[in-house]
Amino acid sequence: MVAESSTARRPALPSAASSRWSHLRVPVSALLIGILAGLITLASSGVIPGAPTQAAAAAAATPTPAPTADGATTDPVTVTVAPVSLAPLRSGQDLAVTVRITNDSSDTITPGTIELYLAERALTTRSGLSAWLHPTKTGKPGDLMLRSALPAAIPPAGTATVAISVPSAKIGLTSGNAWGARGISATITEDGSVLAQGRGTFVWYSNEVVTPVGLAVVMPITVPEQTTGLIPAKSLETYTAPGGRLSRQLDGVINRDVTLAIDPMIIASIRILGNTAPASAVAWLSRLGQAKNDIFPLGYADADLTLQTQAAAGTLLVPISFDQSISASNFTSPTTSTPTQTPTPTPAATGSAPAGLTNTATGTATPTPTSPPTSAPVITPGTVPTSEQLLAWNYTATDVGWPMTGTVAAADLDVFTAGGLSSLILGGANTAQSDLTETPNANVVLAGGHGNALVTDEPISAALRAAANATTDTDWQVAMAELSSQIAVVSAERPATVRTLLATFDRGTAPGGVRLSETLAALAGLGWRAPATLAAARAASPATDVSFQSQAVSDIRLGPARSLLQREHDISAFSTALSKPIAITATQRLTSLALFSSSWAQDTDAWREAVNSSLVDSSVLLSSISVSTKGPINVVGSQVDIPITLDNALGQSVTVKVQVVPSNGRLIVGRDVIEATIEASSARTVKVPVTAAVGNGAVTLRITLFAPDGSVVGQPSQIPINVRADWEGLGSLIFAALLVLFFGFGIWRNVQRRRRERTAIEPTPDVAVEAPVNAPVDPPVDPPVDPPVVPRG
C-alpha cells in the first residue's frame, strides 16, 4: 500500500527514469538471448577490481549454496540493497548504500549495470512497507537515481558486494518531504536485460518533531534440549566457557534495556553441584545476579505451557523436589555461594539521538523503576540447600507466561490463570486486529478474567532476530534497515501519540556475542525508538481492536506428550509402595519437564525418540517389584501352604499387599490379601494357605501386588498349579491295608510256628510201644451194647 499524502511525494527527477525501467519488461526469450550473448564474451574473474567514481569498494567472489534450508532452490541471481548507516538521511546528504549480488546460477554474470531507484512515495503504513519489501510481482520500483557499472564478472556460486554513493542532487528529497521510511531498489542488468532486483529501505528526516515508539525487548536465556531435568556439569562448563552459548547470550544483553526470560533449570543445575560446580558456571551465575536487567522465569526447563495443558496435564508442571539429587558431600566444605542480587532497574544506554529529533515521550516510554522483589533465601556455605533455595531468585516478575508462538487455545487460559500466570506473551497468530491501518499497543486485555497479554510485533521481532543472527555485514545492514524502518513507520502513523510495542528473540536460535551486542547498540541509537520495560508495556493502554484467536498444538506432539503424562501418573501410583516415594516421583517429574521443553519443538523426530527411550526406562522401573515364582507347583493334600517369592530390585524397602485369586474352584485361598515388606535389593517368600476342594486338575493362581493405598504395583503374575486332592485319603487306605496285612501276616506266622512246635512234641500214632515186662494187663472191655428199642404200644 502506498501513501497518497502530498508531502510524501518526492519532486520528479530530470532523468528519463520511466524509459530505463522498460528493461524489466523484456521477454523471457530476449532475456535468454542476452545472457547467451554475454556468455560468449565473458571473462571469468574471482575478484572485482575498484569500481568507477560513484561505485567504490570492490567485492570478492564467495561460494554461496544455491538451495535453501528446506531444499527448495533459490532464484538464480539475488540482489540485496541496504544503507551503510542507520542514521537518518538529511537534506543535502549523499546516500551511501551497499549492493550485494549473489550468483546461484551455473553461468557467469558478465560485467553489467547496477541501477538504483527511489520509491515514488514515502512508506507510511505497515502494509505499504511490507508490500514494498516483499512484492508479489515485479513492478516499477520508482524513479531512477543512479546507474553504475558492475566492475567485474561474477562466476557461478559467487557473490559481489559493491558500495555505491548516491549524490544528494540525484536523490531529489528536500526539507519539504515528510520524514519517515523510504524505499530503495537495485536492479542488475546484463546486455540490456534485467537479471534480478532487490529492495530495501532507509529513513529520511527533515527536522520534524518525532514521537519515539516505546519498544520492550525480551530475550530468552535457555540451553539446548535435555533429557534429565538437570544440566550435567560438563555441559554447564561448555555453555558458560568463553564463547559458550550462555556466555554469548549474557555478553550480548547484560545491563542493556532487555528483559531476560531465564530457564530456572540453569540456576538450579549450577547451585546443586555445590563446590563441584565448574568455575565458569559459578562466575556466570554471579554475573547474572549482578545484572541490572529485569528478569522473569520461564517454566522449569522451559517446558512448553500449551503442550502441557492440551495434553490434559490439568495443572502446569513444576519440580516436586531436588532432595533425591542433592549430594551432601558437595556442600561439606565452605564454598563461596552465589548470593542472589536485587536488580536495580536503570535506563540502559539509549545512544545519542540524531540532532533535531525531539523525544516527546520523555518519561513515558523510558524504563520505569519497579518495586524491589522480595528477598530470596541465600545458600549458606557448608550447608546442604533446600529445593526452594536451589530455585530462589530475585525476579522482577513471576506472573509472566511465555507460551510457544501461535499455540494457545482458549481452554488453556483457565489453567494459566490458576497457575498464577496473569500476563502472557502471545504471538501474532493468537490475535486478530480489526483495524489494520494503525499499530496498537502490545497490551491486550483477555476476556473472562484471564488477565492481560502482551502481543509481540512480528515484523519488528523478525527483523531484530535476523540482525542478531546475521553472519555477514551486509545481512546485518539489510535487517537493521528494515528494523529501523518498521519502527519509523509506527512512529509516523500517529504523530505525538506514544505507543509501546514488544519484540522478542526466538527460542529456536541462540544469538549472542558481538553481533547481538551490535544489534542492541544500534537499536538504542535510533531516535524514533525509546526503551521500555515489560512493566511499562503491561501498563500501557490496552488495545481495543485486538481480539484473542484460539490456536492449537500440533497433533504430532500431543500423542507423545500424553504418553509422558500417563507414565508419570503410573509412577506416582507405583511410588506409594515405596518407603521414600519422592526418590522416583521427583526424578520422573524432572524428566517430564525436560522432555516437555520448548527446545524439542525444532526436531520432532529426535523428540519422539527421546520420549520413547524415557518410556522404556520407566517401564523397567515399574517392573522392579515382581513375583519371581514361576511354577508349576503340585498340590497334594487338602490343606497346604504355597510359597510365593517377591523380588525388590530398588534401593529402598517396599511394602506391598499380595492378592491370590485361583482360576477355578479346585483350590480355595485361605487369606485373600497378605501384606509383606521387602527390604532394599532383596527377596522375600510369603506362604499362601490353600485348601483343595473335591476333584483333581489344573488351577492358575493370579498373583497381584498392591500398594498400601490400593494402587496396582507392576503386572499381575500367573502361577500354574496341579491339584491332586484325593491322594491323601487313598494313601491312608493303602497304608491301613498295608498295616492290617503286616500285622495279620505276623499273627498267622505265630500261629503256624506254635502248631509246628506242638506237632514236634506229640508222639506219632504209627510207632509201636513195647509194654514193660511183668506189667499188669488190663482185662478186655466189651464194647457197650445199645439197649433195645421197645416199640410203644
Side-chain angles (χ1 to χ4, degrees):
M1 182 174 181
V2 180
E4 298 296 335
S5 62
S6 59
T7 57
R9 186 69 168 89
R10 66 180 294 275
L13 293 176
S15 61
S18 59
S19 63
R20 299 304 307 162
W21 180 244
S22 62
H23 294 159
L24 286 178
R25 293 189 290 271
V26 176
V28 175
S29 59
L31 178 61
L32 294 176
I33 293 173
I35 295 175
L36 291 175
L39 290 175
I40 297 175
T41 59
L42 70 87
S44 179
S45 174
V47 178
I48 301 176
T53 307
Q54 295 168 333
T62 306
T64 304
T68 58
D70 58 3
T73 57
T74 59
D75 294 334
V77 180
T78 56
V79 178
T80 59
V81 57
V84 174
S85 173
L86 293 176
L89 186 67
R90 301 172 181 274
S91 179
Q93 293 180 341
D94 297 342
L95 175 62
V97 299
T98 299
V99 179
R100 185 180 63 187
I101 307 101
T102 302
N103 182 14
D104 289 326
S105 69
S106 58
D107 301 322
T108 298
I109 300 176
T110 58
T113 302
I114 302 175
E115 296 177 345
L116 291 179
Y117 293 85
L118 178 68
E120 293 181 341
R121 299 183 182 279
L123 305 174
T124 58
T125 64
R126 305 294 293 278
S127 58
L129 177 60
S130 177
W132 171 259
L133 293 174
H134 311 287
T136 55
K137 61 181 180 179
T138 302
K140 182 180 178 181
D143 299 323
L144 179 65
M145 296 187 295
L146 180 70
R147 184 181 300 110
S148 176
L150 185 63
I154 306 175
T159 299
T161 303
V162 182
I164 302 176
S165 178
V166 182
S168 60
K170 295 290 187 179
I171 300 173
L173 293 174
T174 65
S175 58
N177 296 107
W179 92 278
R182 295 279 177 167
I184 52 175
S185 174
T187 62
I188 305 301
T189 62
E190 183 183 50
D191 294 334
S193 300
V194 175
L195 296 182
Q197 177 192 122
R199 294 189 175 189
T201 59
F202 68 93
V203 175
W204 165 259
Y205 178 65
S206 53
N207 300 320
E208 295 98 329
V209 175
V210 174
T211 302
V213 176
L215 181 64
V217 179
V218 177
M219 170 80 170
I221 304 294
T222 59
V223 295
E225 57 273 10
Q226 306 289 317
T227 58
T228 61
L230 283 171
I231 308 170
K234 189 63 177 178
S235 298
L236 284 173
E237 185 176 13
T238 301
Y239 297 150
T240 56
R245 177 186 176 112
L246 292 177
S247 292
R248 288 187 291 109
Q249 290 179 338
L250 192 57
D251 290 344
V253 299
I254 191 168
N255 296 333
R256 294 188 179 275
D257 54 299
V258 177
T259 298
L260 305 183
I262 189 168
D263 180 357
M265 180 177 65
I266 301 172
I267 299 173
S269 297
I270 296 175
R271 285 176 168 172
I272 202 170
L273 294 175
N275 52 22
T276 65
S280 61
V282 175
W284 183 90
L285 192 61
S286 178
R287 288 183 64 204
L288 180 68
Q290 297 170 9
K292 297 179 180 179
N293 305 67
D294 285 353
I295 304 178
F296 72 89
L298 296 167
Y300 190 89
D302 191 20
D304 190 336
L305 301 178
T306 52
L307 184 60
Q308 297 176 53
T309 55
Q310 294 177 34
T315 59
L316 297 178
L317 302 179
V318 296
I320 297 174
S321 176
F322 294 95
D323 293 347
Q324 76 287 347
S325 301
I326 297 176
S327 176
S329 61
N330 293 341
F331 301 91
T332 54
S333 59
T335 58
T336 303
S337 63
T338 306
T340 55
Q341 302 291 327
T342 303
T344 305
T346 57
T350 58
S352 57
L357 268 72
T358 304
N359 185 346
T360 60
T362 301
T364 305
T366 53
T368 56
T370 55
S371 58
T374 57
S375 59
V378 176
I379 300 176
T380 303
T383 62
V384 178
T386 64
S387 297
E388 292 75 14
Q389 288 175 323
L390 292 177
L391 290 173
W393 196 264
N394 286 327
Y395 294 113
T396 308
T398 58
D399 61 342
V400 179
W402 190 0
M404 291 287 288
T405 301
T407 63
V408 183
D412 300 336
L413 300 179
D414 289 331
V415 182
F416 295 160
T417 302
L421 302 181
S422 59
S423 183
L424 301 177
I425 296 177
L426 298 179
N430 266 124
T431 58
Q433 184 180 351
S434 58
D435 184 4
L436 300 178
T437 59
E438 294 180 351
T439 304
N441 283 326
N443 188 25
V444 175
V445 176
L446 299 173
H450 294 116
N452 72 319
L454 297 176
V455 182
T456 59
D457 191 291
E458 298 295 348
I460 292 179
S461 297
L464 181 64
R465 296 167 186 173
N469 290 287
T471 56
T472 67
D473 291 341
T474 303
D475 289 336
W476 184 82
Q477 290 171 349
V478 170
M480 285 303 304
E482 180 175 353
L483 175 61
S484 173
S485 296
Q486 291 282 358
I487 301 174
V489 169
V490 176
S491 176
E493 282 177 346
R494 296 168 60 184
T497 302
V498 177
R499 252 85 54 80
T500 304
L501 308 182
L502 174 66
T504 60
F505 287 98
D506 193 7
R507 285 182 170 100
T509 57
V514 177
R515 189 67 78 182
L516 175 60
S517 180
E518 182 183 15
T519 298
L520 295 175
L523 179 64
L526 298 179
W528 42 96
R529 180 259 178 177
T533 62
L534 207 62
R538 295 172 65 176
S541 300
T544 58
D545 57 348
V546 177
S547 59
F548 175 78
Q549 299 293 305
S550 184
Q551 300 291 330
V553 176
S554 170
D555 291 336
I556 297 176
R557 302 189 67 212
L558 287 178
R562 293 190 179 106
S563 298
L564 281 175
L565 293 175
Q566 180 60 46
R567 181 51 51 87
E568 181 165 308
H569 173 76
D570 296 341
I571 289 180
S572 178
F574 172 83
S575 69
T576 58
L578 278 62
S579 57
K580 298 178 181 179
I582 198 173
I584 64 170
T585 57
T587 301
Q588 181 63 30
R589 173 59 59 84
L590 291 179
T591 299
S592 298
L593 287 167
L595 292 175
F596 269 100
S597 176
S598 301
S599 59
W600 287 104
Q602 305 300 317
D603 191 346
T604 54
D605 291 337
W607 177 62
R608 282 195 295 267
E609 291 180 5
V611 170
N612 291 336
S613 178
S614 173
L615 294 177
V616 170
D617 292 342
S618 55
S619 294
V620 175
L621 172 65
L622 292 175
S623 61
S624 57
I625 305 175
S626 60
V627 177
S628 61
T629 303
K630 301 300 180 184
I633 297 176
N634 295 319
V635 174
V636 179
S638 59
Q639 292 185 346
V640 296
D641 290 338
I642 297 179
I644 296 177
T645 302
L646 308 177
D647 286 344
N648 173 22
L650 297 174
Q652 57 174 299
S653 62
V654 299
T655 300
V656 295
K657 295 180 179 180
V658 184
Q659 182 188 66
V660 182
V661 178
S663 60
N664 54 52
R666 292 190 178 98
L667 280 182
I668 300 174
V669 179
R671 296 171 61 184
D672 292 339
V673 176
I674 300 174
E675 185 170 306
T677 298
I678 315 169
E679 297 302 322
S681 303
S682 64
R684 177 179 176 179
T685 299
V686 297
K687 294 184 177 180
V688 180
V690 297
T691 301
V694 178
N696 302 326
V699 180
T700 300
L701 292 183
R702 181 183 176 89
I703 313 298
T704 306
L705 304 182
F706 293 90
D709 68 344
S711 303
V712 177
V713 176
Q715 296 295 325
S717 299
Q718 295 184 344
I719 302 176
I721 305 293
N722 296 320
V723 179
R724 295 294 180 263
D726 54 353
W727 280 20
E728 182 180 7
L730 180 60
S732 299
L733 291 176
I734 294 174
F735 179 76
L738 292 175
L739 187 63
V740 170
L741 289 175
F742 176 77
F743 283 104
F745 178 73
I747 295 173
W748 178 80
R749 287 186 61 188
N750 288 335
V751 171
Q752 291 300 318
R753 182 174 57 81
R754 290 177 180 177
R755 285 179 179 178
R756 285 195 300 271
E757 291 176 351
R758 286 197 300 270
T759 302
I761 296 174
E762 293 177 358
T764 304
D766 294 336
V767 179
V769 179
E770 295 183 355
V773 180
N774 301 322
V777 177
D778 292 334
V781 179
D782 294 332
V785 179
D786 293 334
V789 177
V790 180
R792 298 179 66 178

